[in-house]
Amino acid sequence: MRIMGRKVTVGTIAVYATVIAITIIMLLPFAWMLSASLKLSRDVFAFPIEWIPAQPRWENYTEIWTKIPLALFIYNTSKLTIIVTIMQLLTSSFAAYAFAKLHFPYKNTLFLGYIATIAMPWQVYMVPQFLLMREFGLNNTHLALILLQAFTAFGVFLMRQFYMSIPNELCEAARIDGMNEYQIWAKIMLPLSKPALSTLTIFTFVTTWNDFLGPMIYLTKTELKTIQIGLRMFISQYSAEYGLIMAASVVALIPVLIVFLALQRFFVEGVASSGIKG
């Protein structure tokens, strides 16, 4: 079979059909959530499913702001997510530069030890972390979550793999020109690492925005809670208001969707280029 001058095999058609089918299956829950957010609660589970409501109930998107302090929860989550993302970009890229381009004793041992922490589940050491934050008097503060999430071994690994693909001769030439290590990192390495930084931004933003267990452990005051804890509180109070619950879920999803769409063109490039050299 030929399509627009290109030979298309049965295998190629099968692969595309499989990809399209998997994509549709993955998108169905989101389509159902969006559809349910525009319905009355009694119509959410009606069968057959009315994917496009005949009378969309846009009031769901206005009522959720009055049922719970949703704006406050979104502000708290945005504040934590932005600060943590910026901190991880700075700390990960800075540490990765040292591990990739500098020479110091036991560099590889330190790197392997640091990366090995990725294999340890957070549930193993969350109690010691909580006790430590309590001793510092940081319970019920956003600062506790910021300090605990400002560093990430995964981010260092991702950025180091990208920096390893940048020729060492570029750094040597910059040193000959009189640049110190801080200048090389800021003026050469960071501008070249936009794909990797974009990838790390997406991972960090999504992880922090969707974090549930951390805020649940450290934040008990309503004025400090994040959107995920707010949604859980909303479900507890209005367990039968499925239309409102879906509307609140859609609102919580929008910032993540915006960030991913804004940076998605760098995402694949960043993941691919970070694996060039080990």
Side-chain angles (χ1 to χ4, degrees):
M1 180 185 300
R2 288 184 175 274
I3 299 178
M4 298 189 63
R6 296 179 59 184
K7 186 177 181 180
V8 180
T9 63
V10 176
T12 303
I13 295 175
V15 169
Y16 278 107
T18 303
V19 170
I20 292 173
I22 293 174
T23 302
I24 292 174
I25 292 173
M26 293 182 66
L27 290 178
L28 275 178
F30 297 99
W32 182 86
M33 179 177 67
L34 183 60
S35 175
S37 70
L38 298 173
K39 298 177 181 177
L40 292 169
S41 296
R42 66 172 181 268
D43 299 327
V44 169
F45 297 105
F47 189 84
I49 299 174
E50 187 181 12
W51 292 100
I52 302 178
Q55 296 179 336
R57 193 173 187 276
W58 298 103
E59 291 84 358
N60 287 347
Y61 285 93
T62 58
E63 290 182 15
I64 56 176
W65 301 94
T66 58
K67 296 287 186 179
I68 58 172
L70 190 62
L72 177 63
F73 296 154
I74 291 177
Y75 168 76
N76 290 336
T77 311
S78 301
K79 169 185 158 185
L80 282 172
T81 303
I82 292 172
I83 294 176
V84 168
T85 300
I86 293 174
M87 291 293 294
Q88 284 201 18
L89 290 177
L90 289 175
T91 57
S92 296
S93 61
F94 202 58
Y97 173 72
F99 282 123
K101 299 301 180 184
L102 300 184
H103 301 282
F104 51 90
Y106 307 109
K107 180 180 74 171
N108 293 331
T109 303
L110 288 173
F111 178 72
L112 289 176
Y114 188 41
I115 295 304
T117 60
I118 297 177
M120 185 179 296
W122 180 62
Q123 290 80 1
V124 173
Y125 53 88
M126 68 180 182
V127 174
Q129 278 188 344
F130 176 79
L131 296 176
L132 181 64
M133 292 297 106
R134 188 179 65 181
E135 290 298 319
F136 289 156
L138 295 178
N139 280 0
N140 261 324
T141 65
H142 288 161
L143 184 59
L145 292 172
I146 292 172
L147 291 177
L148 291 175
Q149 300 181 68
F151 310 91
T152 167
F154 170 77
V156 173
F157 173 77
L158 181 72
M159 296 301 300
R160 176 186 176 272
Q161 295 304 100
F162 184 87
Y163 286 158
M164 293 288 288
S165 67
I166 298 176
N168 292 329
E169 290 77 11
L170 193 61
C171 297
E172 293 297 335
R175 293 187 185 102
I176 293 174
D177 289 339
M179 283 190 177
N180 57 37
E181 302 301 333
Y182 299 100
Q183 292 173 323
I184 296 174
W185 169 75
K187 296 182 179 181
I188 296 178
M189 306 302 286
L190 284 184
L192 291 175
S193 58
K194 287 180 181 179
L197 290 173
S198 299
T199 303
L200 183 57
T201 298
I202 291 175
F203 281 125
T204 306
F205 190 96
V206 172
T207 301
T208 309
W209 184 275
N210 292 330
D211 187 19
F212 176 80
L213 193 55
M216 186 179 67
I217 292 175
Y218 290 97
L219 306 176
T220 58
K221 296 180 181 178
T222 301
E223 60 269 21
L224 295 174
K225 291 183 177 180
T226 61
I227 185 65
Q228 304 304 328
I229 304 298
L231 285 177
R232 183 68 186 88
M233 185 174 69
F234 184 77
I235 294 171
S236 300
Q237 295 177 2
Y238 304 96
S239 57
E241 298 289 345
Y242 298 108
L244 294 178
I245 292 172
M246 293 300 105
S249 300
V250 171
V251 171
L253 180 65
I254 289 175
V256 175
L257 190 61
I258 291 174
V259 170
F260 183 80
L261 291 178
L263 300 176
Q264 59 88 23
R265 67 191 185 97
F266 297 110
F267 181 74
V268 175
E269 182 184 350
V271 172
S273 59
S274 296
I276 290 177
K277 284 182 85 174

